[in-house]
Amino acid sequence: MRIVVLAGGIGGARFLRGLKQAAPEADVTVIGNTGDDIHLFGLKVCPDLDTVMYTLGGGINEEQGWGRQDETFQVKSELSAYGVGPEWFGLGDRDFATHIVRTQMLSAGYPLSAVTEALCDRWNPGVRLLPMSDDRVETHVAVTIDGERKVIHFQEYWVRLRASAAAEAVVPVGADQAKPAPGVLEAIASADVILFPPSNPVVSVGTILAVPGIREAIAEAGVPVVGLSPIVGDAPVRGMADKVLAAVGVEATATAVAQHYGSGLLDGWLVDTVDEDAVAAVEAAGIRCRAVPLLMTDVDAAAEMAREALALAQEVRA
């Protein structure tokens, strides 16, 4: 079975770990969001790609879901002593090494897709990890702070401000001019199943879909496309997805997110059992829907979610 997964950071990575357990023989290609990418201290940082790589490779900080386990922060401390910031983004010493290698390779002329493949040679994530594009795309958020309207990088909005200000607009800068990375469209065209994990539908999966050609390729692939709701009981399972959903005019409900993706893209949608009342509304929108437990409390729970997604894909195919 050839499975393509569109993944953001923590939610996508943990779902992928469950998928690997549920379908160990499957050929899995992950199209990773690069809209969260940011340049810090002269280095190219790819948070979502690294979270997938570290999680599947056994190097993730399990408690926080991002960064390296057994991390130290001596470099960050020394930079702070020199008065060099930003201090709000916590790069650890082990993590710095990844970004140094990535930046050196990019400076030498290698595209991000080739760099990501090289980094994965160390971690052996058990999936093929592709950036959505080799071109620079950065998600920015429009906010009003102290009466001043400004546009800031998504990482500053998410990490420094903790989404405390209302997001007035979310813009994947550069996405409209970007091209899918090598292998992305080919993976979609040859897939047997395409999955949208419970990642942020606006700044994770939505940013991937903003790259011209990717949404169209998925819609035309002719295979089941199944998503899992990141909203449980009218609230995000993790993070602050409701803040960015509001910016694009979508309610923070399992039904509204399914309708946001649309029946032209989705064939199946899983909602949590607490949202069972949403099933009829989602199916009325032309999307097959089932209610199952959607809390990834551990790898076994994530694996069961993956099994349910694959079962729904089989049901849709039939």
Side-chain angles (χ1 to χ4, degrees):
M1 184 186 300
R2 295 177 299 249
I3 305 172
V4 168
V5 183
L6 275 60
I10 299 172
R14 289 180 171 173
F15 174 78
L16 283 163
R17 193 159 54 182
L19 178 62
K20 284 181 60 183
Q21 179 174 307
E25 301 303 318
D27 178 0
V28 180
T29 297
V30 180
I31 302 173
N33 169 45
T34 60
D36 286 12
D37 292 6
I38 188 170
H39 284 79
L40 296 169
F41 313 110
L43 302 176
K44 171 81 164 180
V45 180
C46 300
D48 282 5
L49 293 179
D50 290 345
T51 296
V52 170
M53 185 173 69
Y54 293 156
T55 299
L56 300 185
I60 199 73
N61 182 319
E62 290 288 350
E63 183 176 344
Q64 61 190 21
W66 52 269
R68 293 286 304 281
Q69 63 184 4
D70 301 322
E71 189 60 282
T72 55
F73 293 88
Q74 295 300 319
V75 174
K76 183 176 183 239
S77 177
E78 287 298 307
L79 287 167
S80 179
Y82 281 113
V84 175
E87 294 188 13
W88 49 264
F89 202 95
L91 292 182
D93 300 328
R94 294 172 183 267
D95 206 18
F96 260 111
T98 298
H99 310 316
I100 291 169
V101 173
R102 176 185 293 117
T103 305
Q104 285 181 330
M105 292 189 69
L106 290 171
S107 298
Y110 291 96
L112 182 59
S113 51
V115 175
T116 303
E117 182 178 3
L119 293 173
C120 285
D121 283 344
R122 173 192 175 183
W123 290 100
N124 296 312
V127 301
R128 185 185 183 199
L129 178 59
L130 301 175
M132 66 189 194
S133 178
D134 282 336
D135 300 315
R136 183 171 176 173
V137 179
E138 291 186 359
T139 301
H140 289 196
V141 182
V143 295
T144 298
I145 301 175
D146 297 329
E148 180 186 357
R149 193 171 195 265
K150 59 176 69 175
V151 177
I152 59 177
H153 193 287
F154 172 72
Q155 293 294 350
E156 183 174 0
Y157 177 73
W158 209 245
V159 180
R160 186 175 77 84
L161 297 182
R162 300 295 300 168
S164 57
E168 299 168 16
V170 178
V171 183
V173 178
D176 58 339
Q177 300 297 319
K179 296 179 181 178
V184 167
L185 297 183
E186 292 81 357
I188 293 170
S190 63
D192 296 309
V193 180
I194 299 172
L195 300 177
F196 294 0
S199 294
N200 192 304
V202 179
V203 296
S204 294
V205 177
T207 304
I208 299 171
L209 295 173
V211 176
I214 294 182
R215 176 186 287 270
E216 294 80 3
I218 293 172
E220 297 168 4
V223 300
V225 180
V226 174
L228 298 91
S229 176
I231 306 294
V232 172
D234 297 344
V237 174
R238 185 184 180 96
M240 301 151 282
D242 52 326
K243 299 296 182 73
V244 289
L245 281 167
V248 297
V250 177
E251 293 181 350
T253 68
T255 300
V257 174
Q259 294 169 337
H260 171 66
Y261 284 133
S263 59
L265 196 63
L266 279 182
D267 299 300
W269 185 243
L270 293 179
V271 301
D272 190 80
T273 50
V274 302
D275 296 311
E276 190 165 4
D277 290 347
V279 171
V282 173
E283 296 210 323
I287 302 167
R288 195 82 60 90
C289 186
R290 298 291 179 265
V292 301
L294 289 187
L295 294 180
M296 290 188 286
T297 50
D298 54 29
V299 178
D300 289 341
E304 187 57 33
M305 288 167 55
R307 291 187 191 96
E308 292 285 1
L310 294 174
L312 183 54
Q314 186 65 35
E315 185 180 325
V316 168
R317 182 184 283 113

